[in-house]
């Protein structure tokens, strides 16, 4: 089994606004731990969140399934939040749909030979 089939790279097609919103959400998640009064009581983001942020920060949009799933979880949390994310709710919803759709496409795709 090749590395590509085991850990496929999946490209997201993001508008400039989606790219910025996703970057902002991931950065907020990363900073949440560092700004907590008691960081030991806050679960740190997964390595996939850091990797996804770094990918977006370099202007790229190619991710692994694990990274997409980490982003999906965070976007769902922010989408359902009653905090100040209300302004970006439609953008969060679009991103959540886009990422969920790419994950589903990958999971239902026939295995490559």
């Amino acid at each position: 089994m090749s590395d590509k089939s085991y850990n496929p790279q999946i490209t997201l097609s993001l508008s400039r606004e989606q790219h910025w919103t996703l970057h902002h959400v991931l950065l907020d998640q990363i900073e949440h731990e560092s700004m907590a009064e008691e960081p030991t009581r806050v679960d740190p983001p997964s390595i996939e969140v850091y990797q996804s942020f770094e990918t977006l920060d370099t202007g790229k949009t190619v991710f692994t399934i694990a990274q997409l799933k980490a982003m999906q979880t965070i976007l769902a949390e922010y989408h359902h939040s009653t905090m100040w994310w209300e302004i970006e709710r439609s953008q969060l919803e679009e991103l959540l749909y886009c990422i969920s759709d790419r994950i589903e496409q990958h999971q239902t795709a026939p295995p490559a030979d």
Side-chain angles (χ1 to χ4, degrees), residues 53-105:
F53 175 78
E54 289 174 8
T55 298
L56 284 168
D57 205 38
T58 62
K60 297 179 182 154
T61 58
V62 179
F63 305 96
T64 65
I65 285 292
Q67 292 167 342
L68 290 176
K69 287 181 177 181
M71 290 187 291
Q72 180 186 42
T73 299
I74 292 169
L75 286 168
E77 289 172 12
Y78 281 67
H79 180 260
H80 293 24
S81 170
T82 57
M83 303 294 279
W84 56 276
W85 292 98
E86 188 64 37
I87 297 169
E88 297 174 345
R89 187 154 322 276
S90 65
Q91 202 65 257
L92 292 171
E93 192 171 287
E94 288 176 24
L95 281 166
L96 186 56
Y97 174 79
C98 175
I99 289 172
S100 298
D101 186 55
R102 294 298 285 145
I103 291 169
E104 185 178 321
Q105 285 176 6

Side-chain angles (χ1 to χ4, degrees), residues 5-83:
S5 64
Y6 179 72
N7 197 11
Q9 301 292 302
I10 300 167
T11 302
L12 291 179
S13 295
L14 302 175
S15 69
R16 171 177 261 163
E17 293 82 16
Q18 289 173 322
H19 188 110
W20 182 90
T21 300
L22 184 55
H23 184 273
H24 189 67
V25 167
L26 294 175
L27 179 60
D28 185 70
Q29 185 70 27
I30 290 168
E31 289 180 340
H32 181 70
E33 179 196 18
S34 65
M35 297 174 74
E37 289 183 25
E38 294 185 49
T40 57
R41 293 185 183 213
V42 176
D43 289 335
S46 67
I47 189 70
E48 289 83 7
V49 172
Y50 287 99
Q51 292 168 339
S52 299
F53 175 78
E54 289 174 8
T55 298
L56 284 168
D57 205 38
T58 62
K60 297 179 182 154
T61 58
V62 179
F63 305 96
T64 65
I65 285 292
Q67 292 167 342
L68 290 176
K69 287 181 177 181
M71 290 187 291
Q72 180 186 42
T73 299
I74 292 169
L75 286 168
E77 289 172 12
Y78 281 67
H79 180 260
H80 293 24
S81 170
T82 57
M83 303 294 279

